[in-house]
Amino acid sequence: MDTLIVAVRVVLSLGVVLALLWYLQRRLSRGVLAKGSINPVTVVGRQPIGQKASVVVVEVDGTRLVLGVTEQAVTVLHEKSLVSVSPSTLDAAVAALGSPDSAGTAFARSLAAATADDAAAVPTAARPAGLAGSILSPSTWRQTAALLRQGR
């Protein structure tokens, strides 16, 4: 009977400690979000190259950086500023391809639209950074389905 009482006390003590930790974590994280501190660095993607090396695409203040990451160093491989496509860029592409009725016009419009969507479709703060690269991320499942379709 004594061991049963001791076991119940241990379980109750553990439950109180876990509840206190959960409450403190929620309270502290809510305080950080209320202050509006947004992470200025977003990891767009990561591709492992070897056992201890990888290539990482990072977005910082409208600039995408391709970084080579090893145990000893981080090297900038490429840097690209994200700019939105203006209507003048579309007009220049149409003029370069010929008359407005040509087949190249549709291509130029779709290229300009795709570039605009890629560059500034969603602000960095609105992106769900928590699931990026996760098995729960919808983009991960889309990439997997695309790879499986290519293998057929």
Side-chain angles (χ1 to χ4, degrees):
M1 186 69 179
D2 289 334
T3 56
L4 180 64
I5 293 173
V6 170
V8 169
R9 287 181 65 190
V10 167
V11 169
L12 284 175
S13 299
L14 183 61
V16 168
V17 169
L18 290 176
L20 181 64
L21 286 173
W22 175 78
Y23 173 76
L24 288 174
Q25 185 270 334
R26 286 193 43 110
R27 175 91 180 209
L28 291 175
S29 67
R30 192 176 302 147
V32 170
L33 292 176
K35 292 178 185 175
S37 63
I38 298 172
N39 192 1
V41 178
T42 303
V43 177
V44 177
R46 169 172 283 198
Q47 180 65 43
I49 301 297
Q51 198 170 26
K52 297 180 181 180
S54 62
V55 175
V56 179
V57 179
V58 178
E59 185 174 326
V60 181
D61 295 330
T63 303
R64 284 208 177 166
L65 302 169
V66 179
L67 306 173
V69 180
T70 64
E71 270 190 356
Q72 292 82 19
V74 175
T75 307
V76 177
L77 301 175
H78 184 71
E79 180 177 342
K80 180 182 179 185
S81 177
L82 299 177
V83 293
S84 61
V85 175
S86 64
S88 62
T89 307
L90 177 62
D91 294 338
V94 169
L97 289 172
S99 69
D101 297 327
S102 68
T105 304
F107 174 75
R109 289 188 189 282
S110 65
L111 180 62
T115 306
D117 289 344
D118 185 34
V122 179
T124 305
R127 289 189 188 136
L131 293 179
S134 168
I135 195 167
L136 300 175
S137 171
S139 64
T140 302
W141 288 101
R142 279 189 223 109
Q143 290 173 354
T144 303
L147 285 173
L148 290 175
R149 278 188 222 115
Q150 286 178 355
R152 288 185 183 176

